[in-house]
Coordinates of all heavy atoms in Angstrom, one line a residue:
M588 N 78.8 116.7 87.6 CA 78.9 115.7 88.6 C 79.7 114.5 88.1 O 79.5 114.1 87.0 CB 77.5 115.2 89.0 CG 77.6 114.1 90.1 SD 75.9 113.6 90.6 CE 75.3 112.6 89.2
Y589 N 80.6 114.0 89.0 CA 81.4 112.8 88.6 C 81.2 111.7 89.7 O 81.0 112.0 90.8 CB 82.9 113.2 88.6 CG 83.2 114.1 87.5 CD1 83.2 115.5 87.7 CD2 83.6 113.7 86.3 CE1 83.5 116.3 86.6 CE2 83.9 114.4 85.2 CZ 83.8 115.8 85.4 OH 84.2 116.7 84.4
V590 N 81.1 110.5 89.2 CA 81.0 109.3 90.1 C 82.2 108.5 89.8 O 82.5 108.1 88.7 CB 79.7 108.6 89.8 CG1 79.7 107.3 90.7 CG2 78.5 109.4 90.0
G591 N 82.9 108.2 90.9 CA 84.1 107.3 90.8 C 83.8 106.0 91.3 O 83.2 105.9 92.4
A592 N 84.2 104.9 90.7 CA 84.0 103.6 91.2 C 85.4 102.9 91.3 O 86.1 102.9 90.3 CB 83.1 102.8 90.2
L593 N 85.7 102.3 92.4 CA 87.0 101.6 92.7 C 86.7 100.2 93.1 O 85.9 100.0 94.0 CB 87.7 102.4 93.7 CG 89.0 101.8 94.3 CD1 90.1 101.6 93.2 CD2 89.5 102.5 95.5
T594 N 87.3 99.3 92.4 CA 87.1 97.9 92.8 C 88.4 97.3 93.2 O 89.4 97.4 92.4 CB 86.6 97.0 91.5 OG1 85.4 97.7 91.0 CG2 86.3 95.6 91.9
L595 N 88.5 96.8 94.4 CA 89.7 96.3 94.9 C 89.7 94.8 95.1 O 88.7 94.3 95.8 CB 90.0 96.9 96.3 CG 90.1 98.5 96.3 CD1 90.0 99.0 97.7 CD2 91.4 98.9 95.6
D596 N 90.5 94.1 94.5 CA 90.6 92.6 94.7 C 91.7 92.3 95.7 O 92.9 92.7 95.4 CB 90.9 91.9 93.3 CG 90.7 90.5 93.3 OD1 90.2 89.9 94.3 OD2 91.2 89.8 92.3
I597 N 91.4 91.7 96.7 CA 92.4 91.5 97.8 C 92.5 90.0 98.1 O 91.5 89.3 98.1 CB 92.2 92.3 99.0 CG1 90.8 92.1 99.7 CG2 92.2 93.8 98.7 CD1 90.5 92.9 100.9
L598 N 93.7 89.6 98.6 CA 94.0 88.3 99.1 C 94.3 88.5 100.6 O 95.1 89.3 100.9 CB 95.3 87.7 98.3 CG 95.7 86.3 98.8 CD1 94.7 85.3 98.4 CD2 97.0 86.1 98.1
L599 N 93.6 87.7 101.3 CA 93.7 87.7 102.8 C 94.9 86.8 103.2 O 95.1 85.8 102.6 CB 92.4 87.4 103.5 CG 91.2 88.3 103.0 CD1 89.9 87.7 103.5 CD2 91.4 89.6 103.4
G600 N 95.5 87.1 104.4 CA 96.6 86.4 104.8 C 96.2 85.0 105.4 O 95.5 84.2 104.7
D601 N 96.5 84.8 106.6 CA 96.2 83.4 107.3 C 94.7 83.3 107.7 O 94.5 83.4 108.9 CB 97.2 83.2 108.4 CG 97.1 81.8 109.0 OD1 96.8 80.9 108.2 OD2 97.4 81.6 110.1
V602 N 93.9 83.1 106.8 CA 92.4 83.1 107.0 C 92.0 81.7 106.7 O 92.2 81.3 105.5 CB 91.7 84.2 106.3 CG1 90.1 84.0 106.4 CG2 92.1 85.6 106.6
R603 N 91.3 81.0 107.5 CA 90.9 79.6 107.3 C 89.4 79.4 107.2 O 89.0 78.2 107.0 CB 91.5 78.7 108.4 CG 93.1 78.8 108.4 CD 93.6 77.9 109.5 NE 95.0 78.2 109.8 CZ 96.0 77.8 109.2 NH1 95.9 77.0 108.2 NH2 97.2 78.2 109.6
S604 N 88.7 80.4 107.5 CA 87.2 80.2 107.4 C 86.5 81.6 107.0 O 87.2 82.6 107.0 CB 86.7 79.8 108.9 OG 86.8 80.9 109.8
L605 N 85.3 81.5 106.7 CA 84.5 82.7 106.3 C 84.3 83.6 107.5 O 84.3 84.8 107.4 CB 83.1 82.3 105.8 CG 83.2 81.7 104.4 CD1 81.7 81.3 104.0 CD2 83.8 82.6 103.3
K606 N 84.3 83.0 108.7 CA 84.2 83.8 109.9 C 85.4 84.7 110.1 O 85.3 85.8 110.5 CB 83.9 82.9 111.1 CG 83.6 83.7 112.4 CD 83.2 82.7 113.5 CE 82.9 83.4 114.8 NZ 82.5 82.5 115.8
Q607 N 86.6 84.1 109.9 CA 87.8 84.8 110.1 C 87.9 85.9 109.0 O 88.4 87.0 109.2 CB 89.0 83.9 110.0 CG 89.3 83.1 111.2 CD 90.5 82.2 111.0 OE1 90.8 81.6 109.9 NE2 91.2 82.0 112.1
K608 N 87.5 85.5 107.8 CA 87.4 86.5 106.7 C 86.7 87.7 107.1 O 87.1 88.8 106.9 CB 86.8 85.9 105.4 CG 86.7 86.9 104.3 CD 85.9 86.2 103.1 CE 85.7 87.2 102.0 NZ 85.0 86.6 100.8
R609 N 85.5 87.5 107.6 CA 84.6 88.7 108.0 C 85.3 89.5 109.1 O 85.2 90.8 109.1 CB 83.3 88.2 108.5 CG 82.5 87.4 107.6 CD 82.0 88.2 106.4 NE 81.2 87.3 105.4 CZ 81.7 86.9 104.3 NH1 82.9 87.4 103.9 NH2 81.0 86.2 103.5
S610 N 86.1 88.9 110.0 CA 86.8 89.6 111.0 C 88.0 90.5 110.5 O 88.5 91.3 111.2 CB 87.3 88.7 112.1 OG 88.4 87.9 111.6
V611 N 88.3 90.2 109.2 CA 89.4 91.1 108.6 C 88.7 92.1 107.7 O 89.1 93.3 107.7 CB 90.3 90.2 107.8 CG1 91.3 91.0 107.0 CG2 91.1 89.2 108.7
V612 N 87.7 91.7 106.9 CA 87.1 92.6 106.0 C 86.2 93.7 106.6 O 86.3 94.8 106.2 CB 86.3 91.7 104.9 CG1 85.5 92.7 103.9 CG2 87.2 90.8 104.2
R613 N 85.4 93.3 107.6 CA 84.6 94.3 108.2 C 85.3 95.5 108.9 O 84.9 96.6 108.6 CB 83.6 93.6 109.3 CG 82.5 92.9 108.6 CD 81.6 92.4 109.7 NE 80.4 91.8 109.1 CZ 79.5 91.1 109.7 NH1 79.7 90.9 111.0 NH2 78.6 90.5 109.1
P614 N 86.4 95.2 109.6 CA 87.1 96.4 110.1 C 87.8 97.2 109.0 O 87.9 98.5 109.2 CB 88.2 95.7 111.0 CG 87.7 94.4 111.4 CD 86.9 94.0 110.2
L615 N 88.2 96.6 107.9 CA 88.8 97.3 106.8 C 87.7 98.3 106.2 O 88.0 99.4 106.0 CB 89.3 96.4 105.8 CG 89.8 97.0 104.4 CD1 91.1 97.7 104.8 CD2 90.1 95.9 103.5
I616 N 86.5 97.8 106.0 CA 85.4 98.6 105.4 C 85.1 99.7 106.4 O 84.9 100.9 106.0 CB 84.2 97.7 105.1 CG1 84.5 96.8 103.9 CG2 83.0 98.5 104.9 CD1 83.5 95.8 103.6
A617 N 85.0 99.4 107.7 CA 84.6 100.4 108.7 C 85.8 101.5 108.7 O 85.4 102.6 108.9 CB 84.5 99.7 110.1
E618 N 87.0 101.1 108.6 CA 88.1 102.1 108.6 C 88.0 103.0 107.4 O 88.2 104.2 107.5 CB 89.5 101.4 108.7 CG 90.6 102.4 108.8 CD 92.0 101.7 108.8 OE1 92.0 100.5 109.0 OE2 93.0 102.4 108.7
L619 N 87.7 102.4 106.2 CA 87.5 103.3 105.0 C 86.4 104.3 105.2 O 86.5 105.4 104.9 CB 87.3 102.4 103.8 CG 88.5 101.7 103.2 CD1 88.0 100.6 102.2 CD2 89.3 102.7 102.4
Q620 N 85.3 103.8 105.8 CA 84.1 104.7 106.0 C 84.5 105.8 107.0 O 84.0 106.9 106.9 CB 82.9 103.9 106.4 CG 82.3 103.1 105.3 CD 81.2 102.2 105.8 OE1 81.2 101.8 106.9 NE2 80.2 102.0 104.9
R621 N 85.2 105.4 108.0 CA 85.5 106.4 109.1 C 86.5 107.4 108.5 O 86.4 108.6 108.8 CB 86.1 105.6 110.3 CG 86.4 106.5 111.5 CD 86.9 105.7 112.7 NE 87.9 104.7 112.4 CZ 87.7 103.4 112.3 NH1 86.5 102.8 112.4 NH2 88.8 102.6 112.1
R622 N 87.4 107.0 107.8 CA 88.5 107.9 107.3 C 87.9 108.8 106.2 O 88.3 110.0 106.0 CB 89.7 107.2 106.8 CG 90.8 108.1 106.4 CD 92.1 107.4 106.2 NE 92.6 106.8 107.4 CZ 93.7 106.1 107.5 NH1 94.4 105.9 106.4 NH2 94.1 105.5 108.5
Y623 N 87.0 108.3 105.3 CA 86.5 109.0 104.2 C 84.9 108.9 104.3 O 84.3 108.1 103.7 CB 86.9 108.4 102.9 CG 88.4 108.4 102.8 CD1 89.1 107.2 103.0 CD2 89.2 109.5 102.6 CE1 90.5 107.2 102.9 CE2 90.6 109.6 102.5 CZ 91.2 108.3 102.7 OH 92.6 108.3 102.6
P624 N 84.3 109.8 105.1 CA 82.8 109.6 105.4 C 81.9 109.9 104.1 O 80.8 109.5 104.2 CB 82.6 110.6 106.5 CG 83.7 111.6 106.5 CD 84.9 110.8 105.9
S625 N 82.5 110.5 103.1 CA 81.7 110.8 101.9 C 81.6 109.6 100.9 O 81.0 109.8 99.9 CB 82.3 112.0 101.2 OG 83.6 111.8 100.7
I626 N 82.3 108.5 101.2 CA 82.2 107.4 100.3 C 81.2 106.3 100.6 O 80.8 106.3 101.8 CB 83.6 106.7 100.1 CG1 84.0 106.0 101.4 CG2 84.7 107.7 99.6 CD1 85.2 105.1 101.3
A627 N 80.9 105.5 99.7 CA 80.1 104.3 100.0 C 81.0 103.2 99.7 O 81.7 103.1 98.7 CB 78.9 104.3 99.1
V628 N 81.0 102.2 100.7 CA 81.9 101.1 100.5 C 81.2 99.8 101.0 O 80.5 99.8 101.9 CB 83.2 101.3 101.3 CG1 83.0 101.5 102.8 CG2 84.3 100.2 101.1
A629 N 81.6 98.7 100.3 CA 80.9 97.4 100.6 C 81.8 96.2 100.1 O 82.5 96.4 99.1 CB 79.6 97.3 100.1
E630 N 81.6 95.1 100.6 CA 82.2 93.9 100.1 C 81.3 93.5 99.0 O 80.1 93.2 99.1 CB 82.3 92.8 101.1 CG 83.0 91.5 100.6 CD 83.1 90.4 101.7 OE1 82.6 90.6 102.8 OE2 83.7 89.4 101.3
T631 N 81.9 93.3 97.7 CA 81.0 93.1 96.5 C 81.3 91.9 95.8 O 80.5 91.5 94.9 CB 81.2 94.3 95.6 OG1 82.7 94.4 95.2 CG2 80.7 95.6 96.1
G632 N 82.3 91.1 96.2 CA 82.6 89.9 95.5 C 83.4 88.9 96.2 O 83.9 89.2 97.3
H633 N 83.5 87.7 95.7 CA 84.2 86.6 96.3 C 83.6 86.3 97.7 O 84.3 86.0 98.6 CB 85.7 86.8 96.4 CG 86.3 87.2 95.1 ND1 86.3 86.4 94.0 CD2 87.1 88.3 94.7 CE1 87.0 86.9 93.1 NE2 87.5 88.1 93.4
L634 N 82.4 86.3 97.8 CA 81.7 86.2 99.1 C 81.8 84.7 99.7 O 81.8 84.6 100.9 CB 80.2 86.5 99.0 CG 79.9 88.0 98.5 CD1 78.5 88.2 98.4 CD2 80.5 89.0 99.6
D635 N 82.0 83.7 98.8 CA 82.1 82.3 99.3 C 83.5 81.9 99.4 O 83.7 80.8 99.8 CB 81.3 81.4 98.4 CG 79.8 81.8 98.5 OD1 79.3 82.2 99.6 OD2 79.1 81.4 97.5
L636 N 84.5 82.6 99.1 CA 85.9 82.3 99.2 C 86.5 82.8 100.5 O 86.2 84.0 100.8 CB 86.7 82.8 98.0 CG 86.2 82.3 96.6 CD1 87.0 83.0 95.5 CD2 86.3 80.8 96.5
H637 N 87.2 82.0 101.2 CA 87.7 82.5 102.5 C 89.0 83.3 102.4 O 89.2 84.0 103.4 CB 87.7 81.4 103.5 CG 88.7 80.3 103.3 ND1 88.5 79.3 102.4 CD2 89.9 80.2 103.7 CE1 89.5 78.5 102.3 NE2 90.5 79.0 103.1
R638 N 89.8 83.2 101.4 CA 91.0 84.0 101.3 C 91.0 85.1 100.3 O 92.0 85.8 100.2 CB 92.2 83.0 101.0 CG 92.4 82.0 102.1 CD 93.8 81.5 102.1 NE 94.8 82.6 102.2 CZ 96.0 82.5 101.5 NH1 96.2 81.6 100.7 NH2 96.8 83.6 101.7
R639 N 89.9 85.3 99.6 CA 89.7 86.4 98.7 C 88.6 87.3 99.0 O 87.6 86.8 99.6 CB 89.5 85.9 97.3 CG 90.6 85.0 96.7 CD 91.7 85.9 96.1 NE 91.3 86.8 95.0 CZ 91.2 86.4 93.7 NH1 91.5 85.2 93.3 NH2 90.9 87.3 92.8
A640 N 88.7 88.5 98.7 CA 87.6 89.5 98.9 C 87.6 90.6 97.8 O 88.7 90.9 97.3 CB 87.7 90.1 100.3
E641 N 86.5 91.0 97.5 CA 86.4 92.1 96.5 C 85.7 93.3 97.2 O 84.6 93.1 97.8 CB 85.7 91.8 95.2 CG 85.6 92.9 94.3 CD 84.8 92.5 93.0 OE1 85.4 92.0 92.1 OE2 83.6 92.7 93.0
V642 N 86.2 94.5 97.3 CA 85.7 95.6 98.0 C 85.4 96.7 97.0 O 86.3 97.0 96.2 CB 86.6 96.1 99.1 CG1 86.0 97.4 99.7 CG2 86.8 95.1 100.2
G643 N 84.2 97.2 97.0 CA 83.8 98.2 96.0 C 83.7 99.6 96.8 O 83.1 99.6 97.8
V644 N 84.2 100.6 96.2 CA 84.1 102.0 96.7 C 83.5 102.9 95.7 O 83.9 102.9 94.5 CB 85.5 102.5 97.1 CG1 85.5 103.9 97.6 CG2 86.2 101.6 98.1
A645 N 82.6 103.7 96.1 CA 81.9 104.7 95.2 C 82.1 106.1 95.8 O 82.0 106.3 97.0 CB 80.5 104.4 95.1
V646 N 82.4 107.1 94.9 CA 82.7 108.4 95.3 C 81.9 109.3 94.3 O 81.9 109.1 93.2 CB 84.2 108.8 95.2 CG1 84.4 110.2 95.6 CG2 85.1 107.8 95.9
V647 N 81.2 110.3 95.0 CA 80.5 111.3 94.1 C 81.1 112.7 94.5 O 81.3 113.0 95.6 CB 79.0 111.3 94.4 CG1 78.3 112.4 93.6 CG2 78.4 110.0 94.2
S648 N 81.4 113.4 93.3 CA 82.0 114.7 93.6 C 81.7 115.7 92.4 O 81.3 115.2 91.4 CB 83.6 114.5 93.6 OG 84.2 115.8 93.8
S649 N 82.0 116.9 92.6 CA 81.8 117.9 91.5 C 83.0 118.0 90.6 O 82.9 118.5 89.5 CB 81.5 119.3 92.1 OG 82.6 119.7 92.9
S650 N 84.1 117.4 91.0 CA 85.3 117.4 90.1 C 85.9 116.1 89.9 O 85.9 115.2 90.8 CB 86.4 118.4 90.7 OG 86.9 117.8 91.8
A651 N 86.5 115.8 88.7 CA 87.1 114.5 88.5 C 88.3 114.4 89.3 O 88.7 113.2 89.8 CB 87.4 114.4 87.0
G652 N 89.1 115.4 89.5 CA 90.3 115.4 90.3 C 90.1 114.9 91.7 O 90.8 114.1 92.3
N653 N 89.0 115.4 92.4 CA 88.6 115.0 93.7 C 88.3 113.6 93.8 O 88.7 112.8 94.7 CB 87.6 115.9 94.3 CG 87.3 115.5 95.8 OD1 88.2 115.5 96.5 ND2 86.0 115.3 96.1
C654 N 87.5 113.1 92.8 CA 87.2 111.6 92.7 C 88.4 110.8 92.6 O 88.5 109.8 93.4 CB 86.2 111.3 91.6 SG 84.6 111.5 91.8
N655 N 89.3 111.1 91.7 CA 90.5 110.3 91.6 C 91.4 110.4 92.9 O 92.0 109.4 93.3 CB 91.4 110.9 90.4 CG 90.7 110.4 89.1 OD1 90.2 109.3 89.0 ND2 90.8 111.2 88.1
E656 N 91.5 111.5 93.5 CA 92.3 111.7 94.7 C 91.7 110.8 95.8 O 92.5 110.1 96.5 CB 92.2 113.1 95.1 CG 93.1 113.6 96.2 CD 93.0 115.0 96.5 OE1 93.3 115.8 95.6 OE2 92.8 115.4 97.7
V657 N 90.4 110.8 96.0 CA 89.8 109.9 97.1 C 90.0 108.5 96.8 O 90.4 107.7 97.6 CB 88.3 110.3 97.3 CG1 87.7 109.3 98.2 CG2 88.2 111.7 97.8
M658 N 89.8 108.1 95.5 CA 90.0 106.6 95.1 C 91.4 106.2 95.3 O 91.7 105.2 95.8 CB 89.6 106.4 93.7 CG 88.1 106.5 93.5 SD 87.5 105.9 91.9 CE 88.1 107.2 90.8
D659 N 92.4 107.1 94.9 CA 93.8 106.7 95.1 C 94.1 106.6 96.6 O 94.9 105.8 97.0 CB 94.7 107.9 94.6 CG 94.7 107.8 93.0 OD1 94.4 106.8 92.4 OD2 95.2 108.9 92.5
A660 N 93.6 107.5 97.5 CA 93.8 107.4 98.9 C 93.3 106.1 99.5 O 93.9 105.5 100.3 CB 93.2 108.6 99.6
C661 N 92.1 105.8 99.0 CA 91.5 104.5 99.5 C 92.3 103.3 99.1 O 92.6 102.4 99.9 CB 90.1 104.3 99.0 SG 88.9 105.5 99.6
E662 N 92.8 103.3 97.8 CA 93.7 102.2 97.4 C 95.0 102.1 98.2 O 95.4 101.0 98.6 CB 94.0 102.4 95.9 CG 94.9 101.4 95.3 CD 95.2 101.6 93.9 OE1 94.6 102.5 93.2 OE2 96.2 100.9 93.4
R663 N 95.6 103.3 98.5 CA 96.8 103.3 99.3 C 96.6 102.7 100.7 O 97.3 102.0 101.2 CB 97.4 104.6 99.3 CG 98.2 105.1 98.1 CD 99.0 106.3 98.4 NE 98.2 107.4 98.9 CZ 97.5 108.3 98.1 NH1 97.6 108.2 96.7 NH2 96.8 109.3 98.6
M664 N 95.5 103.1 101.3 CA 95.1 102.6 102.6 C 95.0 101.2 102.7 O 95.5 100.5 103.6 CB 93.9 103.3 103.1 CG 93.6 103.2 104.6 SD 92.0 103.6 105.1 CE 91.2 102.0 105.0
V665 N 94.3 100.6 101.7 CA 94.1 99.2 101.7 C 95.4 98.4 101.4 O 95.8 97.4 102.0 CB 93.0 98.8 100.6 CG1 93.0 97.2 100.4 CG2 91.7 99.3 101.1
A666 N 96.2 99.0 100.5 CA 97.5 98.4 100.1 C 98.5 98.3 101.2 O 99.3 97.4 101.3 CB 98.1 99.2 98.9
F667 N 98.4 99.2 102.2 CA 99.4 99.3 103.3 C 99.0 98.5 104.5 O 99.6 98.5 105.5 CB 99.7 100.8 103.8 CG 100.5 101.5 102.7 CD1 100.1 102.7 102.3 CD2 101.7 101.0 102.3 CE1 100.8 103.4 101.3 CE2 102.4 101.7 101.3 CZ 102.0 102.9 100.9
H668 N 97.8 97.8 104.4 CA 97.5 96.9 105.5 C 98.3 95.6 105.5 O 98.4 95.0 104.4 CB 96.0 96.5 105.4 CG 95.1 97.4 106.1 ND1 94.6 97.1 107.3 CD2 94.5 98.6 105.8 CE1 93.8 98.0 107.8 NE2 93.8 99.0 106.9
P669 N 99.0 95.3 106.5 CA 100.0 94.2 106.5 C 99.3 92.9 106.4 O 100.0 91.9 105.9 CB 100.7 94.3 107.9 CG 99.8 95.1 108.8 CD 98.9 96.0 107.9
E670 N 98.1 92.6 106.8 CA 97.5 91.3 106.8 C 96.8 90.9 105.5 O 96.3 89.8 105.3 CB 96.4 91.2 108.0 CG 95.2 92.0 107.8 CD 95.3 93.4 108.3 OE1 96.3 93.8 108.8 OE2 94.2 94.1 108.4
I671 N 96.8 91.9 104.5 CA 96.2 91.6 103.2 C 97.1 92.0 102.1 O 98.1 92.8 102.3 CB 94.9 92.3 103.1 CG1 95.0 93.9 103.1 CG2 93.8 91.9 104.1 CD1 93.8 94.6 102.8
E672 N 96.9 91.4 100.9 CA 97.7 91.7 99.8 C 96.7 92.3 98.7 O 95.7 91.6 98.4 CB 98.4 90.5 99.3 CG 99.2 90.7 98.0 CD 99.9 89.5 97.5 OE1 100.0 88.5 98.2 OE2 100.3 89.5 96.3
L673 N 97.0 93.4 98.1 CA 96.2 94.0 97.1 C 96.6 93.4 95.8 O 97.6 93.6 95.3 CB 96.3 95.5 97.1 CG 95.4 96.3 96.1 CD1 93.9 96.1 96.3 CD2 95.7 97.8 96.2
L674 N 95.7 92.6 95.2 CA 96.0 91.9 93.9 C 95.7 92.9 92.7 O 96.5 92.9 91.8 CB 95.1 90.7 93.7 CG 95.3 89.6 94.8 CD1 94.4 88.4 94.6 CD2 96.8 89.1 94.8
S675 N 94.6 93.6 92.8 CA 94.4 94.6 91.7 C 93.4 95.6 92.1 O 92.7 95.5 93.1 CB 93.7 93.9 90.4 OG 92.5 93.4 90.8
A676 N 93.5 96.8 91.4 CA 92.6 97.9 91.7 C 92.1 98.5 90.3 O 93.0 98.7 89.5 CB 93.3 99.0 92.5
R677 N 90.8 98.6 90.2 CA 90.3 99.1 89.0 C 89.5 100.4 89.3 O 88.6 100.4 90.0 CB 89.4 98.1 88.3 CG 89.0 98.5 86.9 CD 88.3 97.4 86.2 NE 87.0 97.1 86.9 CZ 86.3 96.1 86.5 NH1 86.6 95.3 85.6 NH2 85.1 95.9 87.2
H678 N 90.0 101.5 88.6 CA 89.3 102.8 88.8 C 88.4 103.0 87.5 O 88.9 102.8 86.4 CB 90.4 103.9 88.8 CG 91.3 103.9 90.0 ND1 91.3 104.9 90.9 CD2 92.2 103.0 90.4 CE1 92.2 104.6 91.8 NE2 92.7 103.4 91.6
R679 N 87.3 103.5 87.8 CA 86.4 104.0 86.7 C 85.8 105.3 87.1 O 85.4 105.5 88.2 CB 85.3 103.0 86.4 CG 85.8 101.7 85.7 CD 84.8 100.6 85.8 NE 84.8 100.1 87.2 CZ 84.0 99.2 87.7 NH1 83.1 98.7 86.9 NH2 84.0 98.9 89.0
L680 N 85.6 106.2 86.1 CA 85.1 107.5 86.4 C 84.0 107.8 85.4 O 84.2 107.6 84.2 CB 86.3 108.6 86.2 CG 85.9 110.0 86.7 CD1 85.6 110.0 88.2 CD2 87.1 110.9 86.4
Y681 N 82.9 108.2 85.9 CA 81.7 108.5 85.0 C 81.3 109.9 85.3 O 81.4 110.4 86.4 CB 80.5 107.6 85.5 CG 80.8 106.1 85.4 CD1 81.2 105.5 86.6 CD2 80.7 105.4 84.2 CE1 81.4 104.1 86.6 CE2 81.0 104.1 84.2 CZ 81.3 103.4 85.4 OH 81.6 102.0 85.4
N682 N 80.8 110.5 84.2 CA 80.4 112.0 84.4 C 78.9 112.0 83.9 O 78.3 111.1 83.5 CB 81.3 113.0 83.7 CG 81.4 112.8 82.2 OD1 80.6 112.0 81.6 ND2 82.4 113.4 81.6
D683 N 78.3 113.3 83.7 CA 77.0 113.5 83.3 C 76.7 113.0 82.0 O 75.6 112.6 81.7 CB 76.6 115.0 83.4 CG 76.6 115.5 84.8 OD1 76.8 114.7 85.8 OD2 76.5 116.7 85.0
E684 N 77.6 113.0 81.1 CA 77.4 112.6 79.7 C 77.4 111.1 79.5 O 77.0 110.6 78.4 CB 78.4 113.2 78.7 CG 78.3 114.8 78.6 CD 79.0 115.5 79.6 OE1 80.1 115.2 79.9 OE2 78.5 116.5 80.1
D685 N 77.9 110.3 80.5 CA 78.0 108.9 80.3 C 76.7 108.2 80.5 O 75.8 108.5 81.2 CB 79.0 108.2 81.3 CG 80.5 108.6 81.0 OD1 80.7 109.1 79.9 OD2 81.3 108.4 81.8

């Protein structure tokens, strides 16, 4: 069993309040969940900053290749959103021995 963890640090576009931030981040999280129903995704950081967000994605699979493939696809999907800028993406992969 492999567990993949993806942390995405994103900069939001023209957002001036936490309410506007939620109106951008919630649909992004919903789209990730809709496109990849086997993942767990949530806003995990920068909760009090209105132009930054951290989104965490977790994937569980029987193969390391599948975990990496799903994490790469999630990263690409977020990177291609025009209203946000992906600042960094950190991939981590854990297996039974870790």
Side-chain angles (χ1 to χ4, degrees):
M588 176 179 72
Y589 291 89
V590 177
L593 172 64
T594 304
L595 302 167
D596 188 12
I597 59 178
L598 179 66
L599 304 172
D601 188 27
V602 174
R603 300 178 200 272
S604 69
L605 290 175
K606 187 174 181 178
Q607 285 181 324
K608 174 186 178 178
R609 301 291 177 255
S610 72
V611 174
V612 174
R613 281 187 180 169
L615 177 67
I616 289 173
E618 184 179 351
L619 280 166
Q620 288 176 328
R621 186 173 48 255
R622 189 170 293 181
Y623 306 102
S625 63
I626 67 170
V628 59
E630 184 178 2
T631 57
H633 306 302
L634 300 175
D635 294 333
L636 301 176
H637 66 275
R638 291 207 57 221
R639 294 278 301 272
E641 181 182 271
V642 175
V644 177
V646 181
V647 177
S648 178
S649 61
S650 71
N653 186 49
C654 273
N655 285 323
E656 188 177 304
V657 172
M658 288 189 295
D659 287 341
C661 290
E662 180 182 347
R663 279 192 306 273
M664 193 192 93
V665 171
F667 287 128
H668 269 262
E670 69 273 6
I671 64 174
E672 179 182 345
L673 182 60
L674 298 176
S675 68
R677 187 170 67 187
H678 294 243
R679 287 167 287 175
L680 191 62
Y681 304 99
N682 62 15
D683 292 352
E684 288 90 39
D685 289 345

